[in-house]
Amino acid sequence: EHYFDDLLKRAIDSREALERWILDVSEVAACIEEQRAHVYNASTCHTNDEAIQNAYLSFVENVQARALPWRHKLLVRLVELANKFALPAKRYEVLLRGARNAVSLYRDENVPLLTEDTKLSNAYQRIVGAMSCEYDGREQTLQQLSRYNEEPDRTVREETWRLAADRFAADRQELDTLYEKMVGLRNQVARNAGCSDYRAYMFKAMERFDYTPEDCLAFHDAIEQIVVPAAKKLAEQRRAKLNIPSLRPWDFGVDPEGRPPLRPFETVHELIAGCREILGKVHPEIGRVFETLHERGLLDLDSRKGKAPGGYQDTYPERRVPFIFMNAAGTMRDVETLLHESGHACHTWACRNEPILAYRSCEGMIEFAEVASMGMECLTLPHLDVF
């Protein structure tokens, strides 16, 4: 609060002083965001550790929620000062556009609602992170169980698919209750902010300035007309090759030619070594970035009980380094996922010397983030024979 208060009261009498102030605001935000990344990433890696979960929830309630009103006041002052001192448009246009948008959406009454929504998301992670099944003589996570969907034996595929589905459904009521609460909270947040619904609110919150919900609906129509018929043809080809009367959910992971499933690695160490070599073939510097993440313990890749599902890349903005989280189970998809997240990581690394925090990520215009990750998937395709 001392730093926030200083920033709000500091005298600004020139454009140069305003630019210095912007950097100081960014530095305070980076310190808070660094701690958020620390406690959040730990909470997803260890959903069954009570102390780690409590540390994350404490941050959400006692730091993040209390910082939001201060952040709003700083953004209001930024907009006011920008109107007084002419900042170079090429440098600050995107920053100021985001600030004005955030100011227009902020409401004090939404702070506790957004805090509760975050806590419900954490509850979901804990429920799903605890899911596992006994199969093939050992306890396995649902991610580990999914590799059996690639097996040629259809009986095995159906058995493991149903086992995972039943395990997830066992917590159906608790998950449904969480979701119903979240829907209610989010609708209230939208109404408080003067938006017609949550979709309208999120289009603003995600800074989707360049397209509208109507553009998305037109895109949906195009997919229905062009992609769906093609997908149906591919599905029919798969059904015919598998020589089965109809496709079921457990028939989409198996190779339709009857070849055994790809098993590119057995251990996370092999996954890391192979992806390090692939990325180095794309460019030596990219390989070195990945090796740095490995050396600094910024990769948590194996699937285990008590770990949240999925995969992501997060950033420690004070240290200015990326962190990669995923659930590897020995499949080709795991290789693709790690290379994908490495694209995000290289993007983060390339931006690390940018002094303004808002410009070190794609948090606002999130769609652009996937240019780096999908781009890396394409760049690494010629080198997959490393596995």
Side-chain angles (χ1 to χ4, degrees), residues 66-281:
R66 292 173 66 185
L68 283 174
W70 286 102
R71 176 178 178 271
H72 171 67
K73 293 174 185 176
L74 290 173
L75 289 176
V76 169
R77 188 170 193 219
L78 171 60
V79 171
E80 292 171 350
L81 290 169
N83 291 332
K84 183 177 180 181
F85 301 102
L87 291 169
K90 187 175 181 180
R91 174 63 173 159
Y92 293 103
E93 179 185 4
V94 172
L95 180 70
L96 294 175
R97 181 182 65 177
R100 294 187 182 102
N101 181 66
V103 167
S104 72
L105 278 180
Y106 178 84
R107 302 291 187 276
D108 280 329
E109 59 266 33
N110 278 344
V111 173
L113 301 181
L114 293 169
T115 299
E116 183 62 24
D117 185 69
T118 300
K119 291 165 68 177
L120 292 172
S121 296
N122 175 259
Y124 170 84
Q125 301 275 36
R126 298 182 73 172
I127 293 169
V128 179
M131 292 180 179
S132 65
C133 299
E134 286 287 338
Y135 189 77
D136 201 20
R138 59 192 177 95
E139 185 179 26
Q140 301 191 50
T141 65
L142 302 195
Q143 290 75 30
Q144 291 167 334
L145 211 59
S146 68
R147 61 183 277 157
Y148 294 98
N149 289 334
E150 301 176 355
E151 292 295 328
D153 188 332
R154 197 180 191 212
T155 302
V156 170
R157 298 201 307 271
E158 179 177 358
E159 183 180 21
T160 51
W161 187 93
R162 289 187 180 278
L163 194 62
D166 288 344
R167 176 62 191 88
F168 201 88
D171 290 321
R172 173 180 176 177
Q173 188 57 56
E174 194 170 1
L175 293 173
D176 282 353
T177 300
L178 279 179
Y179 187 62
E180 289 170 4
K181 289 179 180 178
M182 294 172 94
V183 168
L185 283 170
R186 293 174 179 189
N187 283 335
Q188 187 61 52
V189 165
R191 287 194 294 271
N192 290 347
C195 297
S196 57
D197 53 34
Y198 188 64
R199 185 182 70 181
Y201 173 83
M202 284 308 296
F203 256 75
K204 291 183 178 180
M206 299 295 283
E207 300 190 5
R208 289 173 174 160
F209 301 118
D210 302 305
Y211 63 99
T212 67
E214 288 69 32
D215 292 324
C216 292
L217 293 173
F219 186 47
H220 295 176
D221 291 341
I223 291 170
E224 183 178 18
Q225 294 166 18
I226 305 299
V227 180
V228 171
K232 286 182 176 179
K233 289 180 182 178
L234 290 172
E236 174 54 28
Q237 291 173 14
R238 169 176 285 271
R239 185 205 64 76
K241 287 180 178 180
L242 291 173
N243 193 28
I244 53 179
S246 63
L247 289 172
R248 304 290 288 161
W250 46 85
D251 294 323
F252 287 90
V254 64
D255 179 59
E257 306 291 343
R259 293 168 294 193
L262 291 170
R263 294 290 178 252
F265 63 94
E266 287 297 325
T267 67
V268 167
H269 176 76
E270 293 172 359
L271 172 64
I272 292 172
C275 286
R276 164 66 177 86
E277 185 176 346
I278 288 173
L279 293 166
K281 287 176 180 288

Side-chain angles (χ1 to χ4, degrees), residues 272-344:
I272 292 172
C275 286
R276 164 66 177 86
E277 185 176 346
I278 288 173
L279 293 166
K281 287 176 180 288
V282 173
H283 194 283
E285 180 61 22
I286 289 175
R288 285 192 289 271
V289 169
F290 185 80
E291 182 61 29
T292 299
L293 302 188
H294 178 42
E295 290 173 350
R296 295 191 187 181
L298 295 167
L299 305 174
D300 193 310
L301 309 181
D302 61 313
S303 180
R304 58 182 183 272
K305 188 177 181 181
K307 186 175 180 181
Y312 64 80
Q313 184 258 294
D314 202 352
T315 305
Y316 293 104
E318 188 66 9
R319 285 179 281 167
R320 305 194 186 195
V321 293
F323 167 80
I324 295 177
F325 169 101
M326 60 176 283
N327 281 270
T331 67
M332 184 58 208
R333 182 61 184 156
D334 296 328
V335 174
E336 295 166 355
T337 298
L338 184 51
L339 294 174
H340 175 102
E341 301 301 342
S342 296
H344 287 306

